[in-house]
Amino acid sequence: MRGEFLFERPLGNLISNLILMAPILVIINPTARSERARALCRKIEHLSARAYVRLTNGPGEARALAEEAVAEGCQRIVAAGGDGTINEVVNGIAGSQTALGLLPLGTMNVFATELGLPIGNLRKCWEVIEHGQVKPVDLLRANDRYFVQLAGIGFDAQIVAATSFDFKKTLGPLSYLISATQIAANKPPRLAVRGGGATREGSFVLIGNGRYYGGPFVLFKGARIDDGMLDVLIFKNLGYLDIVRYLQAIVLGNHTALSDVEYFQTAQVRVTSTDPVPVEVDGDVIGTLPVTFKVLPRSLRVLVPRGKTPV
């Protein structure tokens, strides 16, 4: 009888099959509800019968949709967009067992690069979502805001705030360089960085989970996304020539050897200033200092290609 057949079947196999058949929520954060956005939805829906696509209307809705899906027991949620979209979805699933999948559609796609995803190939990325392995990685927190890849304090956050979407869409990564040139004319703030058993000072600070920054550049040489540590870089100066020198060193991979750059790892760090200094996480400005940064070891479940270990 059918009931007897089900009873004799291994329970683990039944659970695995149910997970493999469950709908997968895909959250898209389009810049506008255009025909292009609707075409993208159709394209994603054609990838799999399991894909259930939702378009957001504005900031914060991706997080709300993710929270709602987690409450309903959704096992896999996909962020379709750039690092900002990923950040919203992550803040919606933080603290749950729901696995995060990515369809990288942004300008930089830094976290997707970190995970070793086949950027530029939606079908292969979807194969990872349906058939990849789940890997627990570290989740970072800035005060009460979660993030997965990078935080910038001062110069970096000012660039993010000054670079509009239209500017990025037209010029791509070059838009950030132009904004940086304009901001470098201003007097830099003085930041106090308390962590790793010491207090240090600098002009701007970057805090990372993984190795990459701005796409292919390895900024945090000793970083791993599952090592339970924050990687902190402090840049002491911020003149035009300093910025050129830092960028050249980053491209060459020897920036941590500079005398006015400090690099250390710690589980928690607090950054303060007497000035109203902006802070960005995963490409979104979240406010101003002071901010305490913490790491929640291996607290986020992400879908990665089978047989490939993210750095």
Side-chain angles (χ1 to χ4, degrees), residues 78-116:
V78 176
D83 294 319
T85 304
I86 294 169
N87 182 270
E88 276 204 41
V89 173
V90 164
N91 276 270
I93 69 174
S96 75
Q97 290 299 304
T98 298
L100 173 70
L102 303 182
L103 288 177
L105 303 172
T107 305
M108 297 296 185
N109 303 308
V110 181
F111 190 53
T113 300
E114 202 78 51
L115 298 178

Side-chain angles (χ1 to χ4, degrees), residues 110-167:
V110 181
F111 190 53
T113 300
E114 202 78 51
L115 298 178
L117 295 180
I119 296 170
N121 192 321
L122 282 184
R123 183 164 296 280
K124 286 188 176 180
C125 284
W126 188 265
E127 288 175 3
V128 173
I129 291 164
E130 282 213 52
H131 307 296
Q133 64 183 3
V134 176
K135 177 180 176 59
V137 301
D138 296 340
L139 183 60
L140 277 54
R141 192 171 68 194
N143 288 348
D144 59 353
R145 176 72 174 263
Y146 296 101
F147 65 104
V148 293
Q149 186 65 28
L150 181 85
I153 303 101
F155 183 60
D156 180 76
Q158 289 174 308
I159 294 172
V160 171
T163 309
S164 68
F165 173 80
D166 289 338
F167 201 24

Side-chain angles (χ1 to χ4, degrees), residues 1-18 20-21:
M1 295 178 61
R2 186 174 179 83
E4 293 172 341
F5 173 76
L6 288 174
F7 181 78
E8 292 171 356
R9 206 171 188 181
L11 181 59
N13 289 344
L14 285 174
I15 294 173
S16 296
N17 288 338
L18 286 172
L20 289 174
M21 293 185 294

Side-chain angles (χ1 to χ4, degrees), residues 225-246:
I225 58 175
D226 60 355
D227 62 0
M229 301 296 284
L230 301 168
D231 286 71
V232 184
L233 270 170
I234 304 174
F235 297 86
K236 304 288 187 177
N237 300 300
L238 200 54
Y240 282 117
L241 294 179
D242 297 310
I243 293 171
V244 171
R245 185 166 49 86
Y246 292 151

Side-chain angles (χ1 to χ4, degrees), residues 36-300:
R36 184 179 178 185
R38 289 189 289 271
L40 177 61
C41 288
R42 291 193 294 269
K43 187 174 183 179
I44 292 173
E45 287 172 341
H46 288 158
L47 291 174
S48 171
R50 296 177 63 191
Y52 172 53
V53 180
R54 295 289 301 272
L55 280 170
T56 63
N57 290 307
E61 189 172 353
R63 175 175 180 170
L65 287 172
E67 288 175 342
E68 180 182 331
V70 168
E72 293 175 355
C74 188
Q75 297 294 311
R76 299 184 182 193
I77 297 178
V78 176
D83 294 319
T85 304
I86 294 169
N87 182 270
E88 276 204 41
V89 173
V90 164
N91 276 270
I93 69 174
S96 75
Q97 290 299 304
T98 298
L100 173 70
L102 303 182
L103 288 177
L105 303 172
T107 305
M108 297 296 185
N109 303 308
V110 181
F111 190 53
T113 300
E114 202 78 51
L115 298 178
L117 295 180
I119 296 170
N121 192 321
L122 282 184
R123 183 164 296 280
K124 286 188 176 180
C125 284
W126 188 265
E127 288 175 3
V128 173
I129 291 164
E130 282 213 52
H131 307 296
Q133 64 183 3
V134 176
K135 177 180 176 59
V137 301
D138 296 340
L139 183 60
L140 277 54
R141 192 171 68 194
N143 288 348
D144 59 353
R145 176 72 174 263
Y146 296 101
F147 65 104
V148 293
Q149 186 65 28
L150 181 85
I153 303 101
F155 183 60
D156 180 76
Q158 289 174 308
I159 294 172
V160 171
T163 309
S164 68
F165 173 80
D166 289 338
F167 201 24
K168 288 188 289 184
K169 186 177 179 181
T170 303
L171 298 176
L174 181 61
S175 61
Y176 292 102
L177 183 59
I178 294 172
S179 296
T181 303
Q182 296 169 341
I183 292 167
N186 302 326
K187 181 181 178 181
R190 300 309 302 170
L191 310 177
V193 184
R194 298 177 178 87
T199 298
R200 304 166 175 88
E201 291 189 348
S203 293
F204 75 102
V205 176
L206 296 173
I207 297 174
N209 188 21
R211 301 173 70 220
Y212 295 109
Y213 174 79
F217 300 109
V218 175
L219 196 65
F220 305 99
K221 292 185 175 182
R224 292 187 61 87
I225 58 175
D226 60 355
D227 62 0
M229 301 296 284
L230 301 168
D231 286 71
V232 184
L233 270 170
I234 304 174
F235 297 86
K236 304 288 187 177
N237 300 300
L238 200 54
Y240 282 117
L241 294 179
D242 297 310
I243 293 171
V244 171
R245 185 166 49 86
Y246 292 151
L247 289 174
Q248 183 181 43
I250 289 170
V251 171
L252 295 174
N254 60 7
H255 53 286
T256 56
L258 297 177
S259 61
D260 56 349
V261 174
E262 287 194 61
Y263 175 38
F264 67 96
Q265 294 179 310
T266 183
Q268 179 172 320
V269 65
R270 182 170 174 82
V271 185
T272 60
S273 178
T274 57
D275 301 310
V277 181
V279 179
E280 64 91 2
V281 298
D282 292 340
D284 285 337
V285 176
I286 62 168
T288 58
L289 294 177
V291 175
T292 298
F293 297 90
K294 298 180 180 180
V295 59
L296 288 71
R298 299 169 68 85
S299 296
L300 178 68

